[in-house]
């Protein structure tokens, strides 16, 4: 909670430093329409001090009142509900592909360590890990949506009142971009944890007992290397919540990333504040869940807590 409170202060001060949102929204009508100016000033509480405006906004945030959009006049909660669902589905699809894929790659690489398959896998992972998400997205568009194969749509086209997942093809490129962006880092961390466990005495004892190598990897090495994997997966899922901003803008995906860019462009302060707090909340909650899972899966930590 302390982290989110500090984030709320930073978000509020950052949006307050953007300048006068009313002048930016009205443009040339600012001087010609004093009635509209007065209405918007009352809406954002321009007659109050910065501290009073902050605590009014924080109180509404705690009670679920995200305010009213200056640009559209609609409640912010109503305005962002659809994009939040769309982004949640995109991150969920990326996660259910990324997690097993990363562990499979790590297990194969650890099994063939210091041999040619491991060298090839690590070279590919390093090459992909060095690419930003927008470069990965552009390369996928060029490969699968424009000049080479043309099998997938390059942008996300959604019918009015529909959802992106109504047409599975529009979900492939954004999801694949996020998967390729985070999987290399997760695979390399899990591989390092696996190699450390594989060299341990209890794994060597399992081999001496004649247990097949596949069983040793699956039941002994992987289970003991899963805790560091959970931590890095949580970190990458939290990064996904912020990384969707770039990916959604690239593919015109109707999620919080695209809406955040539009809100910043339109100086829609209330929407920017709400979306920023949602992204920060996801980051904090995901890492909290990872810490709890790590404690539950680590016998030493469970014993320390119970004692």
């Amino acid at each position: 909670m302390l982290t989110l409170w500090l984030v709320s202060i930073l978000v509020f001060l950052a949006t307050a430093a953007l300048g006068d949102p009313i002048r930016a929204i009205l443009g040339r009508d600012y001087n010609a329409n004093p009635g509209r100016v007065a209405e918007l000033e009352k809406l954002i509480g321009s007659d109050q001090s910065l501290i009073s405006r902050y605590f009014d906004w924080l109180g509404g945030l705690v009670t679920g009142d995200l305010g009213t959009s200056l640009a559209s006049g609609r409640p912010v909660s109503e305005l962002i509900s659809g994009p939040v669902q769309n982004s949640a589905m995109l991150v969920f699809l990326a996660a259910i592909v990324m997690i097993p894929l990363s562990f499979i790659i790590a297990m194969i690489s650890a099994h063939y360590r210091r041999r040619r398959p491991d060298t090839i896998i690590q070279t590919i992972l390093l090459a992909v890990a060095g690419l930003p998400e927008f470069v990965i997205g552009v390369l996928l568009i060029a490969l699968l949506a424009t000049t080479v194969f043309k099998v997938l749509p390059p942008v996300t086209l959604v019918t009015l009142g529909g959802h992106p997942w109504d047409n599975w093809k529009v979900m492939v490129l954004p999801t694949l971009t996020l998967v390729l962006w985070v999987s290399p880092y997760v695979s390399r961390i899990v591989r390092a944890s696996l190699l450390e466990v594989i060299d341990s005495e209890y794994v060597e004892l399992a081999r001496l007992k004649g247990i097949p190598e596949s069983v040793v990897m699956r039941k002994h090495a992987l289970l003991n290397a899963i805790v560091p994997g959970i931590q890095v997966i949580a970190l990458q899922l939290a990064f996904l919540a912020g990384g969707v901003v770039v990916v959604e803008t690239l593919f015109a995906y109707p999620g919080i990333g695209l809406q955040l860019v539009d809100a910043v462009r339109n100086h829609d302060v209330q929407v920017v504040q709400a979306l920023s707090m949602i992204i920060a909340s996801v980051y904090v909650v995901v890492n909290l869940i990872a810490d709890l899972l790590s404690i539950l899966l680590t016998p030493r930590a469970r014993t320390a807590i119970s004692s």
Side-chain angles (χ1 to χ4, degrees), residues 66-67 73-83 259:
L66 302 179
R74 296 170 56 191
V76 173
S77 56
E78 176 186 323
L79 194 64
I80 69 175
S81 61
Q259 189 172 42

Side-chain angles (χ1 to χ4, degrees), residues 240-263:
L240 284 181
V244 293
V245 175
V246 176
V247 174
E248 289 179 357
T249 304
L250 178 64
F251 293 100
Y253 185 87
I256 61 175
L258 187 62
Q259 189 172 42
L260 182 60
V261 171
D262 290 338

Side-chain angles (χ1 to χ4, degrees), residues 226-245:
I226 199 171
V227 172
I230 289 175
Q231 294 288 344
V232 72
I233 286 172
L235 184 61
Q236 294 305 303
L237 288 178
F239 281 155
L240 284 181
V244 293
V245 175

Side-chain angles (χ1 to χ4, degrees), residues 4-48:
L4 289 178
W5 177 62
L6 294 175
V7 169
S8 71
I9 295 176
L10 293 176
V11 168
F12 187 82
L13 292 177
T15 52
L18 292 176
D20 187 0
I22 300 175
R23 183 180 293 274
I25 291 172
L26 295 181
R28 296 180 180 178
D29 294 335
Y30 182 83
N31 295 322
N33 196 346
R36 179 61 176 161
V37 172
E39 180 183 348
L40 292 177
E41 286 179 345
K42 182 179 180 181
L43 184 64
I44 65 174
S46 296
D47 57 333
Q48 301 177 9

Side-chain angles (χ1 to χ4, degrees), residues 164-183:
W165 56 85
D166 293 336
N167 179 10
W168 65 270
K169 287 187 177 181
V170 304
M171 300 291 297
V172 175
L173 286 182
T175 302
L176 188 57
T177 300
L178 292 176
V179 169
L180 292 177
W181 181 43
V182 298
S183 293

Side-chain angles (χ1 to χ4, degrees), residues 4-115:
L4 289 178
W5 177 62
L6 294 175
V7 169
S8 71
I9 295 176
L10 293 176
V11 168
F12 187 82
L13 292 177
T15 52
L18 292 176
D20 187 0
I22 300 175
R23 183 180 293 274
I25 291 172
L26 295 181
R28 296 180 180 178
D29 294 335
Y30 182 83
N31 295 322
N33 196 346
R36 179 61 176 161
V37 172
E39 180 183 348
L40 292 177
E41 286 179 345
K42 182 179 180 181
L43 184 64
I44 65 174
S46 296
D47 57 333
Q48 301 177 9
S49 65
L50 187 65
I51 296 177
S52 298
R53 295 208 309 270
Y54 167 73
F55 282 105
D56 287 344
W57 170 72
L58 183 63
L61 192 67
V62 172
T63 58
D65 181 10
L66 302 179
T68 303
S69 168
L70 293 178
S72 65
R74 296 170 56 191
V76 173
S77 56
E78 176 186 323
L79 194 64
I80 69 175
S81 61
V84 167
Q85 294 177 28
N86 295 339
S87 292
M89 177 58 72
L90 179 60
V91 173
F92 173 74
L93 290 176
I96 63 175
V97 175
M98 177 268 293
I99 294 173
L101 177 64
S102 299
F103 274 89
I104 291 172
I105 293 174
M107 290 180 67
I108 295 174
S109 183
H111 180 72
Y112 291 102
R113 62 172 171 173
R114 300 188 185 93
R115 286 182 277 176

